[in-house]
Amino acid sequence: MINSIDLAFKKGRVENRPLLITYSVCGDPSKKKSLEILKSISEHVDLVEWGFAFNSPTADGPDIQNSSYRAIKNGINLNQTFELVKNYKRYKNSKPLILMGYYQMIYHYGEKKFVKKCKEVGVDGLIVVDLSWPDNKNLAELCKKNSVCFVQLISPTTTKRRMKMIIRDSHQMLYQISMISTTGKKLKVPAKEIIKNNKIIKRINPKKNIVVGFGITKKTISSLKECDGLVVGSAICKAISKSLKSRQNPVKNLNKMVKELRSKII
């Protein structure tokens, strides 16, 4: 299964750099502004992750929780999220888009209906934070049939035996969680250790694209350039909150921030 996510990683390898991947919450700080932010930062990123807001985000720290709260307060729902994705994918400079969220919302929407809708509006990938392997095998297969990359997660506590099975069943991209923590915490693991773990995963199947997330900021991103891709999420959500608090334009501020992030990995 080759899609635009594969092509983005191929481009990164040709340019000898990791992909820059951002995470933000669809509907934050408003439906309109969240779309404007995504379009604006697209000139600097390679992939975008868009979270669908959930009221009990167990893996998320305060910055992403605040973003989700604002989005929910704005009345965002899955159908509106899909409409905004559809709008974004019409944008001439749009990048491959990965939806990220929690299984309860997919379950209530209906797995088949959800994946079909993903394909219809142009979603390229899916991350389901709280549905781990092997419980996600059916959903992953549904995604594969609809040309949607299902992204498996690998944590620092994943055993080598389990890791091999996850990688065996994975699609073209995997997400390496850098440390045992919720999102947004200060990176407390040395970059060398994260890269060491990354290489262990890569050795199992060098063809897989491994991105690293959790604790990635302007201060830490350059030390992890050896990885296939780096995800910046909480720092993005925090910048939106800061912009709102200071009554500044989040679109302009985020564009500047993401441009700086990119400069540190090229």
Side-chain angles (χ1 to χ4, degrees):
M1 180 178 73
I2 296 176
N3 68 8
S4 54
I5 292 174
D6 274 311
L7 298 176
F9 280 107
K10 283 179 183 175
K11 186 173 185 285
R13 283 193 290 274
V14 168
E15 295 175 2
N16 195 30
R17 62 170 180 83
L19 299 194
L20 177 59
I21 305 161
T22 56
Y23 170 91
S24 56
V25 177
C26 182
D28 177 45
S30 68
K31 293 160 198 167
K32 183 183 176 183
K33 283 289 181 189
S34 68
L35 183 60
E36 286 177 12
I37 288 169
L38 212 60
K39 287 179 177 179
S40 174
I41 65 176
S42 288
E43 65 177 305
H44 307 303
V45 302
D46 299 290
L47 300 176
V48 292
E49 290 179 7
W50 227 6
F52 48 95
F54 182 53
N55 62 8
S56 303
T58 51
D60 297 328
D63 296 312
I64 293 177
Q65 284 186 25
N66 288 338
S67 280
S68 295
Y69 173 75
R70 285 191 296 263
I72 291 167
K73 198 177 176 183
N74 291 331
I76 194 75
N77 58 41
L78 273 178
N79 284 327
Q80 290 170 347
T81 299
F82 283 128
E83 279 303 309
L84 287 165
V85 170
K86 192 175 180 180
N87 189 320
Y88 172 71
K89 294 298 281 188
R90 289 196 197 109
Y91 177 55
K92 64 178 181 178
N93 294 322
S94 70
K95 294 297 166 67
L97 184 144
I98 298 169
L99 272 187
M100 186 171 184
Y102 291 83
Y103 182 65
Q104 188 175 329
M105 293 189 69
I106 298 171
Y107 177 79
H108 283 289
Y109 196 86
E111 283 189 2
K112 288 183 179 178
K113 183 183 172 186
F114 181 88
V115 176
K116 186 181 177 183
K117 195 70 177 175
C118 282
K119 183 180 180 180
E120 183 186 307
V121 300
V123 170
D124 300 284
L126 177 65
I127 299 174
V128 187
V129 182
D130 57 344
L131 189 67
S132 57
W133 185 91
D135 297 328
N136 59 30
K137 286 174 80 171
N138 289 338
L139 182 56
E141 188 58 33
L142 258 178
C143 286
K144 192 172 184 179
K145 287 176 182 176
N146 286 276
S147 301
V148 175
C149 173
F150 188 89
V151 182
Q152 299 280 2
L153 303 175
I154 293 178
S155 79
T157 58
T158 304
T159 63
K160 192 140 185 202
R161 181 173 176 271
R162 178 175 169 81
M163 197 183 288
K164 285 178 180 178
M165 291 187 285
I166 291 171
I167 292 168
R168 180 197 66 199
D169 288 346
S170 68
H171 296 177
Q172 62 266 48
M173 172 179 159
L174 291 108
Y175 191 118
Q176 176 192 347
I177 298 169
S178 66
M179 59 183 176
I180 302 167
S181 171
T182 55
T183 60
K185 296 290 184 182
K186 186 178 179 181
L187 193 62
K188 55 190 177 185
V189 179
K192 283 183 181 179
E193 189 174 329
I194 295 168
I195 291 167
K196 180 186 171 186
N197 291 336
N198 187 268
K199 286 178 178 176
I200 289 169
I201 300 166
K202 280 297 261 188
R203 276 198 294 270
I204 294 169
N205 188 338
K207 292 181 180 179
K208 300 292 183 180
N209 302 299
I210 320 295
V211 306
V212 177
F214 284 52
I216 312 299
T217 65
K218 281 191 282 187
K219 289 182 180 179
T220 60
I221 195 167
S222 60
S223 63
L224 296 163
K225 287 198 289 186
E226 289 181 51
C227 304
D228 294 326
L230 297 163
V231 184
V232 182
S234 292
I236 298 287
C237 296
K238 189 175 185 177
I240 294 172
S241 296
K242 193 175 177 182
S243 295
L244 296 175
K245 192 174 180 180
S246 57
R247 298 187 178 184
Q248 293 178 341
N249 183 353
V251 180
K252 185 179 178 181
N253 287 353
L254 266 292
N255 183 288
K256 183 183 176 184
M257 176 187 175
V258 175
K259 186 179 181 180
E260 283 180 43
L261 284 165
R262 187 177 183 86
S263 71
K264 293 180 180 294
I265 59 169
I266 57 175

